[in-house]
Amino acid sequence: MINYNTVKAVIFDLDGVLVDTAIYHFQAWHRLAEGLGYSFSIVDNEQLKGVSRIESLELILKWAGLEKSDHEKADLLAHKNQWYLALIEQLNPDHLLSGSLDLLKKLQDKGIKIALGSASKNAMGILEKTEIISYFDALIDGNVVQLSKPNPEVFLKGAETLGIEPAYCLVLEDAQAGIDAANAAGMQVIGVGQEAHLKGAGMVVPELGVLVDKF
Ligand code: B16
Ligand code: MG
């Protein structure tokens, strides 16, 4: 159950919640894994959602039973990001997920603070390409956090930047790691996607549009 009456701030995850970029992360990781001789599945990918670039690589190497030097890892990460950036080069407002813009507008109209809480180091470019950056009162991304979700750092930094207590924050997340991070932060959390992948969420919705009338 979610108590909307107490919500003073909404903290949005980016990839897979606001913007349809999760598929491009999958495609880039898939390409990298194939190059390593590992058959990377959509089920594997679910475990990488919300997880930082380096921790995602460490998981793939573990699943593939491979060990790489720091130099080799840096090389693999650079390639993965190049492929990802090429895939999102044409990103534009059409790639916003259903209901994203309507919800951002509604929250802004209602005076509810809006923050980004993303693990991505590419977040700013994505917000600019999709033309939604101006809606945010606080921007916390993979460049300013030390600890990857499920650690709550990214969301706690968002709340602190806004000056709002965690209990008054609502997180919107598409990844299990993000749901766990929001719960660890002491925030309410709504999962966006399929219930089976979002255990511990206060509720799960198929898309953000269904939340517009809640505020
Ligand atoms: P990057 P989010 C996360 O973004 C993605 O879900 C995850 O797949 C990705 O590995 C991570 O960002 C790092 O992204 O390589 O662009 O720095 O879902 O937390 O917005
Ligand atoms: Mg996500």
Side-chain angles (χ1 to χ4, degrees):
M1 280 293 287
I2 298 294
N3 183 356
Y4 295 95
N5 295 323
T6 59
V7 175
K8 294 182 183 172
V10 174
I11 306 181
F12 288 83
D13 175 59
L14 179 65
D15 297 314
V17 168
L18 285 167
V19 187
D20 197 9
T21 39
I23 181 70
Y24 301 126
H25 278 297
F26 170 68
Q27 289 173 1
W29 285 127
H30 190 269
R31 182 170 172 182
L32 179 135
E34 295 285 304
L36 295 170
Y38 177 69
S39 173
F40 180 73
S41 72
I42 200 100
V43 177
D44 292 333
N45 187 61
E46 205 56 46
Q47 293 184 58
L48 304 188
K49 286 187 180 173
V51 175
S52 72
R53 206 181 301 168
I54 177 66
E55 287 185 31
S56 298
L57 176 65
E58 299 285 6
L59 280 171
I60 292 172
L61 292 175
K62 189 174 94 180
W63 296 333
L66 294 171
E67 289 204 10
K68 297 282 176 191
S69 67
D70 287 349
H71 181 74
E72 288 169 321
K73 285 180 193 171
D75 207 42
L76 288 166
L77 289 174
H79 277 103
K80 188 271 174 178
N81 200 47
Q82 268 173 26
W83 297 329
Y84 177 67
L85 288 177
L87 287 166
I88 64 166
E89 203 187 331
Q90 305 300 327
L91 209 68
N92 63 57
D94 290 342
H95 290 87
L96 287 170
L97 284 164
S98 181
S100 295
L101 202 53
D102 290 340
L103 184 57
L104 288 167
K105 284 182 178 159
K106 182 70 179 282
L107 294 171
Q108 193 175 57
D109 284 353
K110 291 278 171 184
I112 294 171
K113 296 284 180 204
I114 300 173
L116 184 81
S118 170
S120 176
K121 294 186 173 180
N122 296 303
M124 296 309 142
I126 292 171
L127 293 179
E128 275 163 11
K129 280 173 185 276
T130 53
E131 299 174 12
I132 54 172
I133 198 159
S134 62
Y135 286 93
F136 291 86
D137 301 296
L139 292 163
I140 312 297
D141 69 7
N143 297 296
V144 295
V145 293
Q146 310 298 322
L147 303 163
S148 194
K149 300 169 188 175
N151 187 286
E153 183 189 10
V154 64
F155 297 137
L156 291 173
K157 272 207 162 115
E160 194 187 344
T161 306
L162 294 173
I164 292 178
E165 289 292 315
Y168 300 115
C169 295
L170 170 65
V171 172
L172 304 179
E173 254 294 347
D174 73 319
Q176 188 62 56
I179 302 289
D180 296 342
N183 281 325
M187 298 176 179
Q188 295 199 85
V189 57
I190 293 178
V192 184
Q194 294 172 8
E195 210 147 349
H197 299 136
L198 300 165
K199 299 204 170 63
M203 70 181 285
V204 176
V205 297
E207 52 126 325
L208 296 182
V210 300
L211 299 175
V212 175
D213 292 339
K214 306 286 186 192
F215 296 94

